[in-house]
């Protein structure tokens, strides 16, 4: 199958770094750039060299140390910026100068205080100058989505004529809607002379939560480069999230039949490294790499997951580098999940023993905030030492234990079923990660209801 190849342009170190609290020093940027190289991104925008000496140095050291990816340096549309970017890129095997200039009337009038004519001339001159230094030149008309379309076409055409090899269409303020953004990309292809010879790129911000949707719409309309950032960091609400773009294409090739060179197993490690360096945590429910992205707490979900992960997972944790599917043992968990955790800790139980362990687990869960593996092991030892209250078990069973649940044959049968049902692309996640079962137990005062969930799914 011949799927179009999408260039992944990572701007974590430039646009991402501009987000509050995300600044990094030179060493940190270099370390992250090396991880981006392992991840397989095609272009690393390493910084904005004229912005500060630190930025200059970071671009310089990244350019000197990485040979495979293209290294881009950002420059405003003026000689001084372009020269400084080019200077920082001297050691690069594959340098790119990225020139930008705002084109919307609101930016021209209030920010730049120039006319459209002056804007057109400045864009042309800056690209031409960049091209005289570097064969790979990208041009971005900033605030493109709020620019008069006819004027946008004029500026893009001038930039291409002056030598730009990539034209990037930024939704700088995150204002566009997917259909609208896709149509803009189509319009440019219809109206701009020479655009078929350059790469069209997307750069979408997330102010309305649509950065990824807009980027994908751009790709469907013909864009072949996507600018994005790890964890979706970037100005204000952030940039398009790299991991979401890549996995949307990978999980739904029927809708998005495109290839990227990203090594999926490095997505989660890259996300973790960025969070560690910037100390900006990832929201737990963040798609693909959030703490809860592969966690299943509800008993019915856990039960389905253990029988066949495909019931509730559209991609494997391993495919994005998450070590294991995390079954969170909490208020809504069932015996099945508890049994699996026990098995991962090296203990298999007969039904009656498991009943007692589960009963005690629930009491413990009510009493302390977090149940760790160590607590569970203590509890297991306690039960193993013969301190089983059989009358309690019988009593509970007699009252609440539904017959269907009693037929659960855990753990061997379930593990085998999960293994057998899992397709090649989705192996069962039953391997343990001892010590990691940190479990968030909500405060509850529902002792009267305890029996209900004790015997629930
Ligand atoms: Zn941006």
């Amino acid at each position: 199958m011949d799927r179009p190849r999408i260039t992944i342009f990572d701007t974590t170190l430039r646009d991402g770094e501009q987000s509050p609290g995300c600044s990094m020093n030179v060493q940190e940027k270099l370390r992250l750039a090396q991880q981006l190289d392992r991840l397989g991104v095609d272009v690393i925008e390493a910084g904005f060299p004229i912005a500060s000496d630190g930025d200059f140095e970071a671009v310089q050291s990244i350019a000197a140390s990485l040979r495979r990816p293209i290294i881009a340096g950002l420059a405003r549309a003026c000689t001084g910026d372009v020269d400084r970017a080019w200077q920082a890129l001297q050691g690069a095997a594959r340098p790119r100068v990225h020139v930008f200039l705002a084109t919307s009337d609101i930016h021209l009038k209030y920010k730049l205080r120039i006319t459209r004519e002056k804007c057109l001339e400045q864009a042309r001159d800056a690209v031409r100058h960049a091209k005289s230094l570097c064969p790979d030149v990208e041009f971005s008309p900033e605030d493109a989505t709020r620019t008069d379309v006819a004027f946008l076409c004029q500026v893009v055409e001038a930039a291409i004529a002056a030598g730009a090899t990539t034209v990037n269409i930024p939704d700088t303020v995150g204002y566009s809607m997917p259909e609208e953004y896709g149509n803009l990309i189509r319009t440019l292809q219809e109206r701009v002379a020479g655009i078929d010879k350059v790469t069209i790129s997307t750069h979408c911000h997330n102010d309305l939560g649509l950065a990824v949707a807009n980027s994908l719409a751009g790709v469907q309309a013909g864009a072949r480069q996507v600018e994005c950032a790890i964890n979706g960091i970037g100005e204000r609400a952030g940039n398009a999230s790299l991991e979401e773009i890549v996995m949307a294409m990978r999980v739904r090739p029927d809708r998005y039949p495109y290839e990227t060179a990203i090594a999926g197993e490095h997505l989660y490690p890259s996300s973790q490294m960025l969070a560690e360096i910037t100390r900006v945590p990832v929201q737990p429910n963040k798609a693909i790499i959030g703490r809860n992205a592969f966690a299943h707490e509800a008993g019915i979900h856990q039960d389905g997951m253990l029988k066949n992960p495909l019931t509730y997972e559209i991609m494997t944790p391993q495919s994005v580098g998450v070590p294991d599917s995390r079954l969170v043992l909490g208020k809504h968990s069932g015996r099945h999940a508890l049994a699996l955790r026990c098995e991962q800790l090296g203990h298999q139980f007969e039904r009656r023993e498991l009943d007692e362990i589960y009963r005690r687990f629930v009491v413990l869960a009510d009493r302390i905030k977090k149940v760790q593996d160590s607590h569970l092991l203590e509890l297991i030892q306690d039960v193993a030492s013969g301190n089983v209250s059989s009358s309690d078990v019988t009593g509970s069973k007699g009252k609440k234990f539904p017959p269907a649940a009693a037929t659960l044959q855990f753990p061997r049968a379930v593990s085998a079923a999960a293994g057998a049902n899992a397709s090649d692309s989705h192996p069962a996640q039953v391997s343990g990660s001892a010590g990691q079962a940190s479990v968030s137990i909500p405060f509850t005062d529902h002792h009267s209801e305890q029996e209900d969930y004790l015997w629930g799914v």
Side-chain angles (χ1 to χ4, degrees), residues 11 14-16 18 45 142 168 170-173 203-205 227 234-236 238-239:
T11 188
R14 201 279 299 165
D15 202 321
Q18 287 174 219
E45 186 163 55
E142 187 189 356
N168 179 45
D171 184 26
T172 304
V173 293
H203 180 109
C204 299
H205 276 270
E227 302 198 355
E235 291 269 17
R236 306 179 312 281
N239 214 292

Side-chain angles (χ1 to χ4, degrees), residues 105-185:
D105 286 338
I106 194 163
H107 277 235
L108 294 188
K109 186 174 175 192
Y110 296 103
K111 188 179 86 172
L112 301 175
R113 297 170 199 270
I114 57 172
T115 61
R116 285 188 183 181
E117 290 67 32
K118 172 69 183 148
C119 169
L120 188 62
E121 187 190 317
Q122 198 178 325
R124 187 189 289 125
D125 290 351
V127 171
R128 193 176 288 146
H129 179 54
K131 189 72 174 186
S132 73
L133 305 169
C134 180
D136 186 343
V137 175
E138 174 167 331
F139 174 71
S140 290
E142 187 189 356
D143 203 18
T145 52
R146 293 193 303 171
T147 299
D148 173 73
V149 176
F151 182 60
L152 181 66
C153 290
Q154 232 183 323
V155 178
V156 169
E157 193 165 306
I160 293 170
T165 42
T166 297
V167 289
N168 179 45
I169 307 301
D171 184 26
T172 304
V173 293
Y175 177 71
S176 208
M177 294 287 144
E179 198 187 348
E180 187 183 20
Y181 189 75
N183 285 339
L184 180 61
I185 301 294

